[in-house]
C-alpha cells in the first residue's frame, strides 16, 4: 500500500473526498513549478502543480484495454509455441509467418493501438491503471519485437516495417516514462512534503523535488530499450546488405544481450512491485515467454551445431 492510500484510509470520513482530489492532482501532475519563499526555515522549497488533470476515462475503457492486452499476451504465447513446434519439425509454416506480423503486438496493425494506450495512459486509471502495468506492457512489446521478425518479400518493405517497429518501441518507452514518472514524482511530493494550504497542490519541502522522485525504480527509456533498438537495426543491416560473418556475430550478440536485459527487467519488476498485482501477473507471463524463446534459440543453435558436425563428417568421409 502506498503512502497516499494509507493517508486516505486514515483520514476522517468527511475529509476523504477532499484528500482524494488533492491526491489525484498531485499524482497526476505533469509539470511542477517552484515559487520563491520567505520562510527558509520551515518551507525552503515551495512547489505547486502547473497542470490540470482532465480526469480518468470510464471503467469501460479500462476493460477494453485489459481485453486487448490479454489478447496481445495470448497471441505472443501462441506464436511462440508455434515457433517451438516448427523448430522441432524443421519445416516452417509460411502461411503463419506471413500472417503473424498482423496479429502480434509489435506488428504494423497492433503496434499503433499499443502506442495509443500508452499515450493515453494517465487517464486509464480505474480497473487497469497504466501507471502500474505500463512497464509490463512495454516488456511484452519488446519481447514480441525480439521474438518475431517482420517477414517481407522486398528489402524496402522489410526496412519500412523494421523501422516502424524501432520507432514504435522508442515511442512506447517515452510514453511509459510520461505515465510513471509523474506518478513517482507526485508520490515523492506526498511522502516528503507537507501541504502549505495556499492551493490544492501547494507543498512545502526541505529538499528539491526531482523528476521521478526517489522511488522511481523503472525507466522506459533504458539500456533495455536501446539494446533492442540496436538489435533490430542490426537485423535490418543483415537483411539489406547480406549476412556477413561479422554482421551476424554482432546481430546475435545484440539479440542475446537484449534478451538478458528484458529478462532482468521482468525479474526486477516482479520483485520490486509486490503490491501491483496486475504488473506482477503480466511480468510473470512475460518471463515465461522469454524462457520459451530462449529455449527455442538454444535448441536451434544446438541443431545447427549438429548439422555442421554431420556436414564436416560427410566431407571427411568423401575424401579418398
Amino acid at each position: 500500500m502506498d503512502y497516499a492510500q494509507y493517508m486516505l484510509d486514515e483520514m476522517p470520513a468527511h475529509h476523504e473526498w477532499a484528500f482524494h482530489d488533492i491526491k489525484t492532482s498531485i499524482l497526476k501532475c505533469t509539470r511542477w513549478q517552484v515559487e520563491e519563499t520567505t520562510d527558509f526555515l520551515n518551507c525552503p522549497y515551495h512547489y505547486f502543480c502547473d497542470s490540470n488533470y482532465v480526469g480518468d476515462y470510464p471503467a469501460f475503457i479500462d476493460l477494453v484495454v485489459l481485453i486487448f492486452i490479454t489478447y496481445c499476451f495470448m497471441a505472443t504465447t501462441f506464436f511462440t509455441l508455434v515457433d517451438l513446434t516448427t523448430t522441432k519439425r524443421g519445416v516452417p509454416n509460411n502461411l503463419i509467418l506471413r500472417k503473424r506480423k498482423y496479429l502480434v503486438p509489435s506488428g504494423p496493425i497492433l503496434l499503433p493501438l499499443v502506442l495509443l494506450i500508452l499515450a493515453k495512459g494517465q487517464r486509464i486509471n480505474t480497473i487497469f491503471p497504466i501507471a502500474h502495468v505500463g512497464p509490463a506492457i512495454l516488456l511484452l512489446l519488446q519481447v514480441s519485437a525480439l521474438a518475431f521478425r517482420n517477414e517481407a518479400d522486398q528489402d524496402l518493405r522489410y526496412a519500412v516495417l523494421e523501422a516502424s517497429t524501432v520507432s514504435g518501441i522508442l515511442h512506447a518507452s517515452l510514453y511509459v516514462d510520461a505515465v510513471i514518472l509523474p506518478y513517482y514524482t507526485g508520490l515523492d511530493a506526498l511522502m516528503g512534503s507537507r501541504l502549505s494550504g495556499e492551493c490544492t497542490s501547494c507543498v512545502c519541502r526541505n529538499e528539491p523535488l526531482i523528476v521521478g522522485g526517489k522511488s522511481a525504480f523503472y525507466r522506459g527509456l533504458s539500456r533495455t530499450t536501446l539494446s533492442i533498438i540496436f538489435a533490430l537495426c542490426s537485423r535490418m543491416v543483415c537483411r539489406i546488405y547480406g549476412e556477413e560473418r561479422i554482421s551476424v556475430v554482432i546481430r546475435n550478440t545484440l539479440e542475446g544481450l537484449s534478451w538478458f536485459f528484458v529478462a532482468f527487467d521482468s525479474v526486477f519488476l516482479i520483485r520490486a512491485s509486490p503490491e501491483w498485482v496486475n504488473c506482477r501477473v503480466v511480468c510473470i507471463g512475460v518471463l515465461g515467454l522469454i524462457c520459451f524463446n530462449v529455449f527455442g534459440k538454444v535448441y536451434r543453435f544446438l541443431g545447427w551445431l549438429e548439422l555442421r558436425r554431420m556436414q564436416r563428417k560427410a566431407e571427411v568421409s568423401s575424401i579418398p
Side-chain angles (χ1 to χ4, degrees):
M1 180 181 297
D2 58 39
Y3 179 81
Q5 186 63 44
Y6 170 77
M7 289 186 64
L8 182 60
D9 293 339
E10 295 297 321
M11 291 285 285
H14 61 280
H15 291 309
E16 286 188 3
W17 285 108
F19 182 75
H20 182 270
D21 293 339
I22 296 174
K23 170 193 170 185
T24 302
S25 64
I26 291 178
L27 291 180
K28 296 297 182 179
C29 182
T30 58
R31 187 170 60 252
W32 288 91
Q33 294 288 344
V34 60
E35 285 185 322
E36 294 184 0
T37 177
T38 57
D39 189 358
F40 297 102
L41 181 61
N42 298 319
C43 188
Y45 298 96
H46 188 261
Y47 291 90
F48 70 96
C49 180
D50 194 27
S51 63
N52 295 322
Y53 182 58
V54 180
D56 297 337
Y57 285 124
F60 171 76
I61 301 297
D62 289 60
L63 182 60
V64 172
V65 171
L66 175 59
I67 295 174
F68 175 75
I69 297 301
T70 302
Y71 163 78
C72 290
F73 177 77
M74 297 301 294
T76 306
T77 304
F78 171 76
F79 287 111
T80 298
L81 296 178
V82 169
D83 275 355
L84 287 176
T85 304
T86 55
T87 297
K88 292 183 178 181
R89 293 178 180 176
V91 180
N93 192 323
N94 294 326
L95 178 61
I96 292 180
L97 290 178
R98 287 196 300 268
K99 301 298 182 182
R100 183 180 62 189
K101 63 176 176 287
Y102 302 113
L103 302 174
V104 295
S106 59
I109 293 181
L110 298 187
L111 180 57
L113 298 178
V114 176
L115 294 180
L116 178 63
I117 290 172
L118 295 177
K120 302 297 183 180
Q122 270 216 328
R123 300 185 62 188
I124 303 175
N125 195 44
T126 53
I127 300 175
F128 198 66
I130 301 300
H132 294 180
V133 298
I137 295 175
L138 178 60
L139 288 180
L140 179 61
L141 181 62
Q142 291 171 343
V143 168
S144 176
L146 281 175
F148 310 126
R149 300 187 180 186
N150 289 307
E151 300 294 335
D153 298 331
Q154 300 177 356
D155 290 343
L156 179 60
R157 186 177 180 183
Y158 171 81
V160 171
L161 290 174
E162 204 71 15
S164 64
T165 304
V166 170
S167 176
I169 291 178
L170 181 60
H171 279 82
S173 63
L174 295 176
Y175 289 148
V176 168
D177 283 342
V179 174
I180 63 175
L181 290 183
Y183 175 84
Y184 282 109
T185 305
L187 191 62
D188 188 39
L190 285 174
M191 296 178 63
S193 312
R194 61 181 179 84
L195 299 176
S196 65
E198 296 186 13
C199 66
T200 303
S201 61
C202 291
V203 294
C204 286
R205 294 178 58 85
N206 293 324
E207 56 185 2
L209 182 64
I210 60 176
V211 177
K214 297 180 179 179
S215 56
F217 56 85
Y218 180 84
R219 294 291 180 95
L221 187 59
S222 61
R223 61 186 181 184
T224 304
T225 299
L226 295 179
S227 64
I228 291 174
I229 289 175
F230 288 139
L232 296 181
C233 290
S234 67
R235 284 182 184 176
M236 189 162 43
V237 170
C238 289
R239 168 66 184 268
I240 296 175
Y241 295 101
E243 294 190 349
E244 301 293 337
R245 186 169 186 176
I246 297 179
S247 60
V248 171
V249 170
I250 294 175
R251 182 194 65 191
N252 292 336
T253 302
L254 289 173
E255 288 186 1
L257 193 63
S258 299
W259 281 113
F260 172 78
F261 284 150
V262 173
F264 179 84
D265 286 350
S266 299
V267 175
F268 179 77
L269 285 173
I270 292 172
R271 298 185 61 184
S273 57
E275 72 278 7
W276 293 355
V277 179
N278 292 333
C279 183
R280 294 193 70 189
V281 169
V282 178
C283 287
I284 291 173
V286 170
L287 187 60
L289 289 175
I290 294 172
C291 293
F292 279 123
N293 280 280
V294 172
F295 172 78
K297 291 184 178 298
V298 172
Y299 186 86
R300 282 191 290 268
F301 178 72
L302 294 178
W304 177 80
L305 288 180
E306 181 65 19
L307 180 62
R308 292 284 295 177
R309 188 185 67 82
M310 294 178 62
Q311 289 177 348
R312 290 180 179 178
K313 185 177 180 180
E315 291 175 357
V316 171
S317 61
S318 63
I319 297 177

